[in-house]
Amino acid sequence: MALGALPDYPWDQMVPYARRAAEHPDGIVDLSIGSPVDPTPAVIREALVAATDAHSYPQTTGTPALRRAIVDWFARRRGVTGLTEDSVLPTIGSKEFVAWLPFMLGLGEGDVVVHPVAAYPTYAIGAQLAGATAIASDDPAEWPSTTRLVWLNSPGNPDGRVLDVAALRAAVARARELGAVIAGDECYAELGWDGPWATEPVPSILDPRVTGGDPSGVLAAYSLSKQSNLAGYRAAFTVGDPALIARLLTVRKHAGMMPPAPVQAAMIAALGDDEHVAAQKELYRARREVLRPALEAAGLRIDRSEAGLYLWATGGRDAWETISDLASLGILAGPGPFYGDGYPEHVRFSLTATDERIRAASSRLRSRGH
Ligand SMILES: Cc1ncc(COP(=O)(O)O)c(C=O)c1O
């Protein structure tokens, strides 16, 4: 199948707003993209440096030490025990995995890929790359019989929504009824804030309470970009049904989709060290506690956002008007329409700015609110 026209990259539409925001005398506060601003922890950088002699090809399947580190991490941090080393596969960041999964599963015309209503745009792009049809739906009862792949995203980007065990279980049951693969994109799992997620871990789609202890047809995707400030390393992995992992491994071996060896070494260090993850979470917590009340003081309402890296807000009017207004304050946010048709009035604020920039945003918002 020839690749059809892809949509323009939506972020290009932000250029005029970025330009206006940059004219603010105290500079722009860019909260539009979730790109980490804090340093990569030393423990991870040192592991990378120690692995720079990489004369031979890396293993597509990951080194035995990396596979073990992923299995151990899932047991320790996510409560998913019983995984084996043939149920994990490193990826070159998770965006490529999201974009190519429908293609790697052999999906094509007539096949449906379901994704959340408020969604990271790459789920739909992945369907398009394979020639399949993307459908936005959060209700398993609506998923059509032609569904071959379901994407869940918990905690969600952009809305910070968490799917509890019951919701995950219902989604997995429905996917199984349809004979579809179901994949949980869980890259914000370490960032729980409100409600039960203040104290309990956000559940994985591979949680035995969800799968009944059988990972058939189920995959989880996790990324170290956010939890470990490794976005520039391209370090992520997928875990789940060994039969699916074996198929993906074959495709990825043929296509040369292997994470670089030094990055694999760095991933082991990142997965083995919980301290830097906790420290990073506290930085985001502090930023969230400054930004959230300031947004509310400026008349925005925060929806969901119980976990994750973003505040999902509405000013009760067209998102582009809110974006324009914020740009006049020197603040750049992400427009809801970038995340699907369901939220024309929402905007997304990322917590990925320095403490100083978050304080600047807060004081500008507060001066506007009063
Ligand atoms: C929901 C979601 N999935 C996947 C990604 C991709 O992350 P990476 O490619 O850095 O692993 C992102 C990045 O923002 C995301 O928000």
Side-chain angles (χ1 to χ4, degrees):
M1 190 222 65
L3 180 62
L6 289 170
D8 289 338
Y9 200 61
W11 290 98
D12 296 347
Q13 291 173 56
M14 294 302 293
V15 170
Y17 300 101
R19 205 171 285 139
R20 193 180 331 148
E23 284 165 9
H24 191 281
D26 181 38
I28 187 171
V29 180
D30 188 350
L31 307 178
S32 65
I33 294 183
S35 191
V37 292
D38 302 302
T40 301
V43 63
I44 306 173
R45 291 157 74 165
E46 283 156 15
L48 182 90
V49 168
T52 51
D53 177 13
H55 50 273
S56 60
Y57 284 103
Q59 288 166 279
T60 309
T61 184
T63 58
L66 175 56
R67 281 184 279 153
R68 171 94 329 250
I70 295 171
V71 166
D72 290 349
W73 180 87
F74 252 96
R76 190 177 78 251
R77 302 297 300 180
R78 311 300 310 282
V80 181
T81 51
L83 291 171
T84 51
E85 280 148 50
D86 61 355
S87 55
V88 309
L89 188 57
T91 58
I92 311 162
S94 58
K95 185 171 183 173
E96 60 91 348
F97 180 72
V98 171
W100 292 111
L101 183 61
F103 184 82
M104 292 189 290
L105 291 174
L107 305 195
E109 217 175 312
D111 295 331
V112 165
V113 176
V114 169
H115 62 74
V117 173
Y120 179 60
T122 311
Y123 307 123
I125 294 289
Q128 204 176 335
L129 287 172
T133 303
I135 292 184
S137 169
D138 294 324
D139 178 2
E142 277 176 13
W143 301 346
S145 60
T146 43
T147 304
R148 293 288 165 268
L149 171 64
V150 176
W151 275 109
L152 303 180
N153 177 211
S154 172
N157 170 16
D159 59 358
R161 183 174 72 126
V162 175
L163 299 175
D164 63 14
V165 167
L168 291 170
R169 199 168 45 220
V172 168
R174 174 68 175 150
R176 285 181 168 162
E177 185 180 286
L178 295 165
V181 171
I182 184 162
D185 182 352
E186 304 183 342
C187 60
Y188 302 106
E190 290 279 4
L191 299 173
W193 307 117
D194 297 336
W197 322 119
T199 48
E200 277 174 46
V202 168
S204 170
I205 194 169
L206 289 171
D207 191 304
R209 293 170 295 171
V210 173
T211 62
D214 169 14
S216 303
V218 182
L219 294 170
Y222 192 70
S223 169
L224 300 179
S225 290
K226 320 287 171 145
Q227 75 146 48
S228 299
N229 297 326
L230 282 189
Y233 283 48
R234 313 310 299 132
F237 47 88
T238 183
V239 178
D241 181 346
L244 287 173
I245 295 290
R247 178 189 162 89
L248 297 172
L249 175 60
T250 303
V251 176
R252 295 176 68 85
K253 275 181 172 168
H254 282 301
M257 297 172 81
M258 44 195 160
V263 172
Q264 294 195 30
M267 287 172 76
I268 297 168
L271 289 165
D273 179 68
D274 295 342
E275 215 172 288
H276 78 273
V277 180
Q280 186 60 43
K281 181 173 183 180
E282 289 317 303
L283 290 177
Y284 287 134
R285 185 194 305 280
R287 290 169 190 162
R288 192 174 180 274
E289 282 171 6
V290 172
L291 189 59
R292 182 180 184 129
L295 292 170
E296 287 167 340
L300 291 153
R301 184 188 79 217
I302 311 293
D303 287 337
R304 300 305 301 242
S305 310
E306 60 258 30
L309 196 56
Y310 309 102
L311 291 168
W312 183 231
T314 172
R317 61 203 173 112
D318 187 80
W320 289 103
E321 284 175 34
T322 306
I323 292 289
S324 173
D325 229 32
L326 289 162
S328 319
L329 293 176
I331 298 170
L332 204 60
F338 282 10
Y339 304 93
D341 298 333
Y343 295 91
E345 296 184 346
H346 278 71
V347 295
R348 190 194 77 168
F349 296 86
S350 175
L351 301 174
T352 51
T354 61
D355 295 350
E356 183 277 329
R357 287 289 85 188
I358 293 279
R359 277 196 302 272
S362 162
S363 64
R364 293 177 202 178
L365 287 161
R366 285 177 184 282
S367 64
R368 168 62 57 96
H370 295 290

